Amino acid sequence: MTAYDDNNIFAKILRGEIPCVKVYEDDHTLAFMDVMPQAPGHLLVIPKTGSRNILDADPEVLAKTIPIVQKLAVAAKEAFDADGIYVAQFNEPAAGQTVFHLHFHIVPRKDGEPLKPHSGAVADVEMLKAHAEKIKQAL
Ligand code: 5GP
């Protein structure tokens, strides 16, 4: 398997080299809004420890990340009055992965509302900030 490369965009976000709209942070985990949301409230949860995806992740890192994925999924459901929450995680290009630092997508879903395309249009940053605030308030 290809080795982890810390030139990926999420490693740059973790180092503060490029901005993100932050939702949650602790010693092990960062959560921020996806710039190309597939639905309002689409956020990403990443461990601070680098791995390419779930296939090379340290199980101890996963054990710290998953409770945060759950916490944010519950908050996003409440914040967006969602009917359901889609949690997705892709491994390698064949499975749709485009950024090679482990991440979990959390996407609020409403009955009858289709998902926008993956890696589609870049959203307005002020809208992403407003959505992040709604999720933070539900935490
Ligand atoms: P993947 O296909 O690897 O699971 O998804 C990567 C996700 O990262 C996509 O949903 C894409 O919209 C998002 N993304 C790509 N570049 C950036 C960025 O610079 N900032 C943020 N916040 N999200 C990004």
Side-chain angles (χ1 to χ4, degrees), residues 9-10 13 18-21 32-38 42 44 88-90 96-100 103 105 118-120:
I9 204 119
F10 295 166
I13 286 175
I18 63 163
C20 72
V21 177
F32 53 91
M33 302 311 292
D34 195 299
V35 282
M36 293 172 264
Q38 291 187 257
H42 181 172
L44 301 167
Q89 190 279 310
F90 307 132
Q97 187 177 10
T98 60
V99 178
F100 298 95
H103 55 279
H105 296 258
H118 179 242
S119 299

Side-chain angles (χ1 to χ4, degrees), residues 23-40:
V23 178
Y24 172 90
E25 183 169 18
D26 63 28
D27 289 347
H28 307 286
T29 318
L30 179 69
F32 53 91
M33 302 311 292
D34 195 299
V35 282
M36 293 172 264
Q38 291 187 257

Side-chain angles (χ1 to χ4, degrees), residues 24-106:
Y24 172 90
E25 183 169 18
D26 63 28
D27 289 347
H28 307 286
T29 318
L30 179 69
F32 53 91
M33 302 311 292
D34 195 299
V35 282
M36 293 172 264
Q38 291 187 257
H42 181 172
L43 73 145
L44 301 167
V45 181
I46 67 172
K48 290 186 174 177
T49 301
S51 76
R52 194 169 154 85
N53 52 46
I54 207 167
L55 302 174
D56 60 338
D58 180 341
E60 288 185 14
V61 170
L62 293 177
K64 291 190 176 112
T65 308
I66 294 298
I68 306 304
V69 171
Q70 181 191 36
K71 187 183 174 84
L72 285 159
V74 170
K77 185 170 185 298
E78 184 184 322
F80 287 86
D81 194 24
D83 298 308
I85 293 286
Y86 168 96
V87 175
Q89 190 279 310
F90 307 132
N91 303 283
E92 299 301 319
Q97 187 177 10
T98 60
V99 178
F100 298 95
H101 180 111
L102 175 62
H103 55 279
F104 293 85
H105 296 258
I106 295 177

Side-chain angles (χ1 to χ4, degrees), residues 109-129:
R109 300 294 312 268
K110 297 237 188 198
D111 287 333
E113 280 187 17
L115 275 187
K116 292 193 190 123
H118 179 242
S119 299
V122 175
D124 171 59
V125 71
E126 293 307 319
M127 185 189 79
L128 293 180
K129 285 181 183 168

